[in-house]
């Protein structure tokens, strides 16, 4: 399943917004999940904390991402380090 995050905005930030997005996504998720960041300009760590590790946890600690720019990738690397998850660049 590919989740196009631009659906939620160009700038993904804020813990409450991340929680809201995750609540919307949870009943729809079909694993494995790929997060597609096409068109996303940035992602804050608070938003990421609420989405990325929760999905990775259900996938043996791994998350696949595609089309992450440098800003988003930097946040993903911090999340991976903080939560002990593995991020795979999906082409």
């Amino acid at each position: 399943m590919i989740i196009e995050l631009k659906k939620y905005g160009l700038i993904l930030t804020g813990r409450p917004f991340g929680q809201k997005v995750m609540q919307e996504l949870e009943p729809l998720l079909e694993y494995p999940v790929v997060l597609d960041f096409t068109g996303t300009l940035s992602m804050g760590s608070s938003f990421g904390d609420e989405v990325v590790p929760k999905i990775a946890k259900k996938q043996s600690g791994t998350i696949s991402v595609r089309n992450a720019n440098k800003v988003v990738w930097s946040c993903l690397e911090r999340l991976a380090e903080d939560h002990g998850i593995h991020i795979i660049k999906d082409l």
Side-chain angles (χ1 to χ4, degrees):
M1 171 178 208
I2 298 171
I3 298 171
E4 295 179 356
L5 289 165
K6 70 180 175 187
K7 172 183 174 184
Y8 301 100
L10 300 178
I11 299 171
L12 306 173
T13 188
R15 190 167 306 281
F17 184 53
Q19 290 168 341
K20 179 182 175 192
V21 168
M22 196 60 202
Q23 285 175 347
E24 282 183 34
L25 289 174
E26 278 182 312
L28 307 173
L29 293 178
E30 296 177 20
Y31 296 95
V33 170
V34 176
L35 298 179
D36 187 346
F37 287 93
T38 300
T40 302
L41 300 177
S42 67
M43 178 177 68
S45 58
S46 294
F47 177 93
D49 277 341
E50 297 300 325
V51 177
V52 178
K54 292 178 180 179
I55 293 173
K57 185 177 180 180
K58 301 230 180 197
Q59 301 184 136
S60 302
T62 301
I63 190 80
S64 295
V65 301
R66 61 171 62 158
N67 303 313
N69 66 24
K70 290 180 183 180
V71 174
V72 172
W73 189 254
S74 176
C75 183
L76 289 167
E77 288 178 321
R78 280 183 267 132
L79 290 169
E81 186 176 316
D82 290 349
H83 295 277
I85 59 177
H86 182 69
I87 299 174
I88 299 170
K89 283 187 180 180
D90 185 76
L91 305 173

